[in-house]
Amino acid sequence: MVQLKTDSSIEAMRETGRVVARMLTAAREAAAAGVSLRELDEIAHDVLREAGAGSPFLNYKPHFAPTPFPAVICASVNDAIVHGIPDGYRLRDGDLVSIDAGATLNGWAGDSAVSFIVGRPRPEDVRLVDTAFDALDAGIAAAVVGNRIGDIAHAIGTICRKAGYGIPEGFGGHGVGRQMHEDPSVPNEGRPGRGMPLKHGMVLAIEPMLIAGGQDVFHADPDGWTLRTDDGSRAAHAEHTVAITDDGPRILTAL
């Protein structure tokens, strides 16, 4: 069931969103060759502690996971699409990194993700990351009262497919509120004018995921969490928590 948020609830979620934005900013600024993924997680954790916020990621255990998630961010490198566990891997020049972060504050959740390149970028990686953010922008622009979930999905999918990229089958965005994952699901590809109508007070995590090789298939690592491209090509992920309002979409996880 979709829970519509009041205007005051959306304001409260904006405060949570600012914490998430600070987590991502701190992790991205610290990301350099030689820095470990575990160090990035600790930096993001420090932001949570300073804000008095909690983590919806830490110890999260959905039905598919063999173990609870052990960190406050997901750190996915190169051919890892999403859900990478921060470990001792040390970043290298040219790595493509996707960081997904969440926070809970005063009973409300926020969720956001960025992709970026460490050091000298390859042109093909720049194009992939730029397209991920273009797809996110298109999805947000479609998140208006009177449209439907399918309009968001179509906007994202059109950008991704036109660029020749794959879209991980079965993965997309979701509602956000008291919990990090709520109804409805928000696919990254779909038909315009279809699906649930968008109403004032809906809050959605819109999150394109792109596979450079053009395929939609992927597999899970032995850790049960990390999703990796089958063809070994690189992936990118971009995400914001967005409130749908009568005045247009409002990005709650912007810095």
Side-chain angles (χ1 to χ4, degrees):
M1 179 181 294
V2 175
Q3 299 289 335
L4 298 180
K5 280 70 178 179
T6 64
D7 291 347
S8 61
S9 295
I10 290 173
E11 288 299 327
M13 293 187 72
R14 175 66 177 123
E15 293 306 309
T16 310
R18 287 191 175 97
V19 176
V20 178
R22 292 199 297 271
M23 293 172 69
L24 291 174
T25 299
R28 182 170 185 171
E29 288 177 349
V35 176
S36 75
L37 300 181
R38 191 173 290 120
E39 289 171 323
L40 297 184
D41 182 68
E42 187 57 34
I43 287 167
H45 207 159
D46 285 342
V47 174
L48 284 175
R49 294 186 187 103
E50 291 168 5
S55 170
F57 288 17
L58 185 62
N59 296 320
Y60 179 57
K61 190 180 184 302
H63 65 88
F64 63 80
T67 58
F69 195 77
V72 302
I73 63 170
C74 298
S76 307
V77 181
N78 296 332
D79 64 332
I81 307 167
V82 288
H83 302 165
I85 296 175
D87 56 15
Y89 176 83
R90 294 193 176 275
L91 294 171
R92 302 170 184 173
D93 188 64
D95 277 346
L96 196 166
V97 184
S98 297
I99 303 291
D100 192 351
T104 54
L105 184 67
N106 298 321
W108 294 103
D111 190 10
S112 185
V114 295
S115 290
F116 57 89
I117 301 151
V118 175
R120 292 175 296 178
R122 305 188 308 177
E124 58 267 37
D125 291 340
V126 173
R127 179 174 178 266
L128 177 64
V129 170
D130 286 348
T131 304
F133 284 104
D134 287 346
L136 176 60
D137 289 343
I140 293 171
V144 296
V145 173
N147 272 359
R148 293 176 176 265
I149 291 289
D151 294 303
I152 298 175
H154 178 72
I156 293 170
T158 298
I159 296 288
C160 297
R161 295 302 189 189
K162 185 176 180 180
Y165 296 133
I167 300 170
E169 187 176 357
F171 278 81
H174 50 87
V176 185
R178 293 292 186 183
Q179 306 295 324
M180 177 174 61
H181 291 131
E182 296 185 352
D183 291 334
S185 62
V186 186
N188 284 328
E189 190 168 32
R191 296 173 61 184
R194 304 295 292 270
M196 181 179 294
L198 304 180
K199 299 179 180 180
H200 179 91
M202 292 176 70
V203 179
L204 307 174
I206 299 173
E207 51 177 323
M209 306 165 198
L210 285 64
I211 298 175
Q215 299 182 20
D216 297 351
V217 291
F218 56 91
H219 62 274
D221 274 1
D223 62 26
W225 279 100
T226 308
L227 301 184
R228 204 171 292 276
T229 64
D230 270 10
D231 61 7
S233 66
R234 293 188 168 190
H237 178 206
E239 177 184 17
H240 270 308
T241 297
V242 180
I244 296 170
T245 79
D246 290 330
D247 296 322
R250 183 181 180 190
I251 301 173
L252 303 183
T253 45
L255 189 61

